[in-house]
Amino acid sequence: MTATGPGTTSGHRGLLFEEPLIFESGTEGRSGVDLPDPPAVADRLGGLRRRTALGWPGLSEPQVIRHFTRLSQKNYAIDAGLYPLGSCTMKHNPRLNEKLARLPGFADIHPLQPVSTVQGALALIDTLARWLKALTNMPAVAMSPAAGAHGELCGLMAIRAAQDARAAPRRKVLVPDSAHGTNPATAAMCGYTVEAVPLNARGRVDLAALRRALDGDTAAFMLTNPNTCGLFEDEILEQAAAIHDAGAFFYCDGANFNALVGRVRPGDLGIDCMHINLHKTFSTPHGGGGPGSGPVTLSAALAPFAPVPYVVHDANGFRLVETAGDAAAGLAPLGRLKGFHGQMGMFVRALAFMMSHGADGLLQASSDAVLNANYVLARLADRMSLPYDGPCMHEVLFDDAFLKDTGVTTLDFAKAMIDEGFHPMTMYFPLVVHGAFLIEPTESESKEGLDVFVATMRSLAERARSGDAAPFLAAPQFAPRRRLDETRAARQPVLRWRRSNHPGEAA
Amino acid sequence: MRYLPHTPADRRAMLAAIGVPSVDSLYRDVPASVPQKPRFDLPDHQSELAVERALTALAEKNVAAGAVPSFLGAGAYRHHVPAAVDHLIQRGEFLTSYTPYQPEVSQGTLQYLYEFQTLVADLFGMEIANASMYDGATATAEAALMARRVTRRNRIVLSGGLHPQYRDVTTTSFKHLEASVVALPPDPSGGERAVDAIDGETACVVVQYPDMFGRIADLTALASACHAKGALLVVAVSEVVALGLIEPPGAMGADIVAAEGRSLGNALNFGGPYLGLFATRERFVRQMPGRVVGETVDVDGRRGWVLTLSTREQHIRREKATSNICTNSGLCALAFTIHAALLGADGLARLAALNHAHAVRLAERLARIAGVRVVTEAFFNEFTVVLPKPAVPVVEALAARGVLGGVPLARLYPEVPSFADRLLVAATETNTEADMDRFAALLAEVLQ
Ligand SMILES: Cc1ncc(COP(=O)(O)O)c(C=O)c1O
């Protein structure tokens, strides 16, 4: 089949459905929900009854089911195949976790019920915190951040609070050139200026440059370890010593914790603070963009500044400290970062994942993740180009040197992978290498699956090198859409449906 | 281990292909002095059945709100979610996909986000909306940050009717920026004069609608006063179902609406994950935080969707980005979209009318109890009552009798002693007449 293949009357092609927007198929006066007539009362709306028309479309339940079923069929997903998006840890999402998160005792509890009625929920948060502290060998963890970036904010705010409390405010945060964009963005939200630290020729932070950049105004160094080139920072202990000598804190972006779980504890590396993406390492589903959960482990020096709320245990059982005024003497919470108490639904899933694996299974999982990435490295090294030598950790980074003079870019290559039935890797990140291919297979992939993947990548690389650029430039051909015009989308933004967007087209 | 595909033979073959004797040798970059594979004081792997048993036992230690008459709100309202919603969001193609970075194989996610953006903008009477934030509280903080960028002014005024957690999240977000946040004192009586707090340095006034105490009030005059002084009006909404029945903030002059959208499609979840909604005017789009989906065409001219305007975002702009947000609340946005599609305009209006009618009837019942006063005049599905006794022990006593009877304001405002006898009570479509009778009877009993 090609995208310009024979036309059909309906516009559909077999199982490939063209699906209109709900606004185009809905009809006024229809609803997919039956609700009783409200009891007659004199309203108490203070004259504010809605006069402005609401444009939501009317659909029946079967129409809604069909619409979203058809939309779902236009998505790639882990459930469908290999999703080697580096830095994102697209591992299998166990269905037990979904089932447990939906138990009424977790899903149907109100955040402000009397604490006597939610002792099981608070025990679960406390248990998950215990696992996280053990796996990181760090003494405290703040549970409320909603995602990785939010955890970064929590960690940097704790650092800032600790330094301000010593009456020694500092204004600068160092990040490596290879850092994820959230790192500098977060530092700016905490009022810090950001200074970049270069990498050395081995893809690690240049220790001499780091030492030069560290001064009495440096609040923290933010490192991802393993770093975003997929490499373990082999001078991390020297980095930690230099950071601490300068009176700064060592922040670790824990997005890549999947390489280390059960084997190396970040607390043993001199790290003061690390966020953990439960939606990466601990398998809570990414849901097409979220929700996530980003607990932050803290050293003893930072723990007193953890935000509210947090769970404490006393003679009456578990209790929540919800306001700074309620904090015990000696604690100075940095404030509040989120409504209510954090991502409970994600906590249940992450704990189920940890309990299912156990300490032994978590070590096996991180070992398999690293094994898989190194297997991909070994099988592709002679066909693609490696900017830095291995071994890698849980992801492997290639650059586009092998595509030099082929007329094929990393983007074109990625689109050709789509035609081969794979989700592309992360592309053009990290920024430190040209045309990055960041491949993270995770522990969920079988050897057979990886063998098909590497065979495909090898043959694509060979085809590109043989001068056959055309199929790359035309790719994807076998996806629900071919290449989309992103420039047009940004130049003339159309961010919502309006009847007038498509004159004559609307129902 | 049931989630790990490799057999020992697979691992051996792969190590041979790599050319190393063991996985341990792949970790040779870890400094030798760092302990590897430490012993943990944690259990080993367990069967599905064992994990299910252990976590079910924890779940059963909680009182599910649906198992008893429940009247809690304060930013989290219990609604009935149609069965179709949870079925659809568990389709693996939605559940197990990432952010739609490769649009050709993510049209499902992109199309529903575009529908979501349209539904949200329309609900609030605004022009555009983003693809979601973490929750209502963080969306409110982001709205205030955006107002600061738009106006290049550094003074933020928070109404005393703003949810105290939204207030605290906003205050925390501004802690290290050169800006001042003025939080007006909470005033359930409705006497606040936010207009008087606006000056020539004010970036925005943030007001909640319906407010923390359940009140609804016309915001038109406040919007005009903001605009006259060059400030923006930010409206926070913690109960979106209200918009099925009351005027949308956009019709009253709001510049940014930040809301908690969990009421549609999503469970209470003990407070998370929730769904931040963010809507604004088209002219402010380049200062908006978060992801946004736009329409375009593919090379064959067929309509499709992509993530767009990413030059605002952290992965392009780094320290100059409008926000650090990356992962948002995508799947919660899908649940919202499906629930909204099921309801339609008529369904939402009916749902809202039902909520209001139940709240009115509950208020009538409670007002008849000796010593109890309902102090909120105009409200949607939540109102404040004054009790003749401190509310915290009353709520505990009700819970012991099997009713979750509202949220004591003292829990949210421990610093305001005069709130000790105030109780915030909500009613939704999920409360039956019998529930309300039981609540009223037990409250009368507990107050005796
Ligand atoms: C290295 C790194 N840091 C930070 C983040 C941000 O995490 P989140 O998306 O959970 O906010 C990501 C996620 O994409 C990442 O890969």
Side-chain angles (χ1 to χ4, degrees):
Chain A
M1 194 219 70
T2 67
T4 50
T8 55
T9 309
S10 64
H12 308 315
R13 275 176 289 172
L15 283 175
L16 295 175
F17 295 103
E18 284 302 304
E19 183 61 14
L21 292 161
I22 48 174
F23 309 99
E24 294 160 348
S25 46
T27 302
E28 225 177 288
R30 198 192 267 145
S31 179
V33 179
D34 290 321
L35 291 162
D37 288 329
V41 295
D43 89 52
R44 294 180 67 166
L45 298 173
L48 287 169
R49 185 173 283 277
R50 185 166 182 134
R51 292 180 301 271
T52 311
L54 181 66
W56 288 12
L59 299 148
S60 64
E61 179 175 310
Q63 290 175 299
V64 170
I65 295 272
R66 203 167 274 168
H67 174 75
F68 289 98
T69 300
R70 288 179 174 192
L71 290 193
S72 75
Q73 291 167 345
K74 298 173 195 290
N75 269 4
Y76 199 92
I78 310 170
D79 281 3
L82 183 67
Y83 209 128
L85 207 52
S87 208
C88 301
T89 312
M90 294 297 278
K91 62 172 69 178
H92 172 63
N93 302 148
R95 291 314 192 270
L96 170 66
N97 308 356
E98 295 306 306
K99 180 178 179 187
L100 296 176
R102 286 169 171 80
L103 292 173
F106 295 134
D108 192 22
I109 48 176
H110 189 284
L112 298 174
Q113 284 181 210
V115 290
S116 58
T117 66
V118 291
Q119 287 294 302
L122 298 178
L124 184 137
I125 297 174
D126 190 64
T127 305
L128 177 62
R130 190 166 66 80
W131 278 78
L132 294 173
K133 289 184 283 189
L135 292 170
T136 56
N137 195 23
M138 294 184 70
V141 59
M143 297 298 289
S144 70
H150 206 216
E152 293 170 30
L153 188 65
C154 176
L156 284 194
M157 282 199 163
I159 288 169
R160 183 139 182 183
Q163 285 168 342
D164 290 358
R166 290 182 200 149
R170 292 171 173 227
R171 287 185 301 260
K172 186 171 81 178
V173 164
L174 306 177
V175 299
D177 279 335
S178 54
H180 192 261
T182 50
N183 296 180
T186 304
M189 287 178 85
C190 290
Y192 288 119
T193 58
V194 178
E195 193 177 308
V197 181
L199 302 193
N200 62 25
R202 296 183 303 107
R204 275 85 172 182
V205 169
D206 182 331
L207 185 59
L210 174 64
R211 287 193 172 122
R212 278 195 301 278
L214 283 163
D215 60 21
D217 205 26
T218 307
F221 176 55
M222 291 181 95
L223 177 77
T224 307
N225 186 49
N227 67 26
T228 60
C229 303
L231 303 170
F232 195 92
E233 287 281 345
D234 51 4
E235 294 176 315
I236 194 164
L237 299 177
E238 290 82 358
Q239 293 172 11
I243 292 160
H244 294 145
D245 284 349
F249 285 96
F250 197 171
Y251 185 93
C252 184
D253 179 330
N256 291 343
F257 192 38
N258 205 44
L260 305 181
V261 181
R263 178 183 291 266
V264 173
R265 297 173 303 187
D268 295 338
L269 302 173
I271 284 159
D272 298 301
C273 179
M274 181 176 95
H275 77 256
I276 298 167
N277 307 62
L278 299 184
H279 47 298
K280 297 181 179 180
T281 313
F282 297 108
S283 84
T284 77
H286 205 276
S293 178
V296 182
T297 55
L298 299 165
S299 67
L302 294 176
F305 304 101
V308 291
Y310 52 85
V311 177
V312 293
H313 193 265
D314 59 24
N316 300 320
F318 291 102
R319 186 166 72 75
L320 274 164
V321 174
E322 293 176 281
T323 56
D326 191 25
L331 302 184
L334 62 86
R336 171 180 280 275
L337 291 168
K338 196 177 177 304
F340 304 122
H341 328 305
Q343 306 285 66
M344 181 67 182
M346 305 294 120
F347 297 161
V348 178
R349 291 171 174 88
L351 184 61
F353 179 88
M354 291 176 177
M355 291 172 68
S356 293
H357 282 78
D360 56 336
L362 290 172
L363 172 63
Q364 187 65 60
S366 59
S367 301
D368 284 354
V370 169
L371 178 68
N372 284 356
N374 278 284
Y375 184 68
V376 171
L377 186 164
R379 297 284 317 274
L380 295 182
D382 62 329
R383 283 288 177 282
M384 294 172 64
S385 40
L386 274 176
Y388 308 114
D389 289 338
C392 62
M393 290 283 96
H394 65 307
E395 57 191 355
V396 53
L397 177 66
F398 295 96
D399 63 20
D400 63 0
F402 77 103
L403 293 174
K404 190 163 186 293
D405 300 329
T406 60
V408 175
T409 64
T410 301
L411 178 79
D412 301 327
F413 198 100
K415 301 305 181 190
M417 289 167 68
I418 291 175
D419 280 340
E420 294 283 353
F422 292 104
H423 194 281
M425 64 282 138
T426 291
M427 21 174 233
Y428 302 104
F429 174 80
L431 309 173
V432 288
V433 304
H434 201 269
F437 292 65
L438 187 63
I439 301 175
E440 180 179 4
T442 84
E443 72 273 17
S444 305
E445 294 309 318
S446 66
K447 178 172 179 298
E448 302 92 300
L450 290 175
D451 283 337
V452 177
F453 175 70
V454 294
T456 305
M457 294 295 276
R458 291 179 71 84
S459 103
L460 286 175
E462 279 157 23
R463 193 189 302 169
R465 297 268 287 261
S466 75
D468 189 9
F472 291 90
L473 303 182
Q477 310 246 25
F478 306 136
R481 282 293 177 269
R482 297 184 60 213
R483 279 198 219 182
L484 291 140
D485 187 345
E486 305 203 13
T487 310
R488 166 177 158 152
R491 290 246 169 94
Q492 306 146 24
V494 179
L495 307 180
R496 61 172 293 184
W497 182 84
R498 284 191 177 93
R499 211 166 288 275
S500 56
N501 288 357
H502 305 283
E505 216 179 87
Chain B
M1 210 284 129
R2 60 188 177 276
Y3 303 132
L4 300 176
H6 294 333
T7 63
D10 289 334
R11 293 189 183 105
R12 279 194 303 275
M14 293 169 78
L15 287 168
I18 298 166
V20 293
S22 67
V23 168
D24 290 354
S25 48
L26 297 172
Y27 284 89
R28 65 176 183 229
D29 292 328
V30 178
S33 63
V34 173
Q36 282 201 42
K37 300 195 276 185
R39 274 184 49 80
F40 290 98
D41 184 18
L42 296 169
D44 277 345
H45 68 276
Q46 295 180 53
S47 68
E48 192 169 307
L49 179 61
V51 174
E52 183 165 340
R53 262 193 201 126
L55 291 189
T56 302
L58 275 186
E60 284 170 356
K61 288 190 182 160
N62 303 318
V63 177
V68 294
S70 166
F71 300 90
L72 280 71
Y77 305 85
R78 186 167 186 278
H79 292 289
H80 174 74
V81 177
V85 175
D86 199 45
H87 169 80
L88 286 167
I89 70 166
Q90 286 197 70
R91 287 189 65 91
E93 301 91 329
F94 289 135
L95 185 74
T96 75
S97 58
Y98 202 75
T99 300
Y101 292 142
Q102 297 286 345
E104 300 87 351
V105 285
S106 310
Q107 286 297 304
T109 297
L110 288 159
Q111 184 172 336
Y112 82 64
L113 289 174
Y114 185 78
E115 294 174 341
F116 169 77
Q117 289 170 191
T118 307
L119 291 164
V120 170
D122 191 58
L123 180 67
F124 294 132
M126 302 298 284
E127 288 164 0
I128 54 166
N130 76 8
S132 81
M133 311 297 290
Y134 304 134
D135 69 0
T138 62
T140 302
E142 290 272 16
L145 290 166
M146 173 171 145
R148 176 171 177 255
R149 290 192 298 275
V150 167
T151 61
R152 297 167 186 268
R153 294 179 178 185
N154 286 316
R155 187 166 172 275
I156 307 294
V157 176
L158 306 181
S159 158
L162 183 63
H163 194 297
Q165 294 186 345
Y166 294 21
R167 175 198 67 199
D168 291 350
V169 172
T170 305
T171 307
T172 304
S173 303
F174 275 82
K175 217 171 147 183
H176 304 303
L177 305 178
E178 281 161 21
S180 61
V181 178
V182 180
L184 302 178
D187 176 9
S189 75
E192 179 176 283
R193 298 265 316 150
V195 170
D196 298 342
I198 311 170
D199 64 18
E201 285 306 300
T202 304
C204 66
V205 174
V206 184
V207 61
Q208 187 171 314
Y209 173 81
D211 79 6
M212 181 59 201
F213 309 103
R215 284 181 61 245
I216 44 180
D218 194 339
L219 303 175
T220 315
L222 181 58
S224 304
C226 285
H227 297 155
K229 292 230 165 97
L232 304 189
L233 179 66
V234 173
V235 178
V237 178
S238 72
E239 169 54 307
V240 287
V241 172
L243 277 304
L245 196 59
I246 61 175
E247 261 304 72
M252 296 187 286
D255 298 289
I256 307 175
V257 177
E260 176 51 69
R262 187 219 46 89
S263 278
L264 292 186
N266 292 277
L268 286 170
N269 282 330
F270 197 47
Y274 277 21
L275 170 62
L277 309 181
F278 197 100
T280 186
R281 304 277 171 205
E282 215 141 21
R283 65 177 181 279
F284 299 141
V285 66
R286 290 187 195 265
Q287 292 299 338
M288 187 167 71
R291 296 201 181 103
V292 61
V293 173
E295 184 186 306
T296 188
V297 291
D298 76 357
V299 293
D300 294 327
R302 293 180 300 175
R303 180 172 68 172
W305 289 276
V306 292
L307 290 176
T308 192
L309 300 179
S310 52
T311 49
R312 300 164 299 117
E313 290 184 74
Q314 46 75 27
H315 59 283
I316 308 282
R317 286 301 290 285
R318 300 177 77 87
E319 64 268 25
K320 297 200 175 61
T322 52
S323 168
N324 68 341
I325 192 168
C326 182
T327 291
N328 56 22
S329 298
L331 201 72
C332 305
L334 173 62
F336 176 103
T337 306
I338 299 167
H339 195 175
L342 285 164
L343 285 166
D346 291 354
L348 183 69
R350 215 174 160 82
L351 176 65
L354 205 50
N355 273 256
H356 184 58
H358 284 186
V360 169
R361 290 181 63 96
L362 181 62
E364 287 165 3
R365 279 180 175 78
L366 299 186
R368 274 186 237 119
I369 300 170
V372 174
R373 268 188 310 127
V374 175
V375 294
T376 320
E377 307 230 322
F379 57 81
F380 170 61
N381 68 355
E382 183 168 36
F383 51 86
T384 303
V385 298
V386 179
L387 304 178
K389 283 185 179 172
V392 170
V394 168
V395 164
E396 287 287 351
L398 288 169
R401 289 165 172 75
V403 169
L404 296 173
V407 178
L409 282 184
R411 175 149 178 196
L412 292 155
Y413 296 96
E415 74 285 6
V416 185
S418 64
F419 285 179
D421 58 359
R422 309 224 166 187
L423 183 66
L424 198 54
V425 178
T428 72
E429 78 284 2
T430 63
N431 299 118
T432 63
E433 295 282 324
D435 287 349
M436 294 194 245
D437 287 340
R438 184 162 166 71
F439 177 24
L442 282 177
L443 182 61
E445 182 185 311
V446 167
L447 290 175
Q448 271 192 357

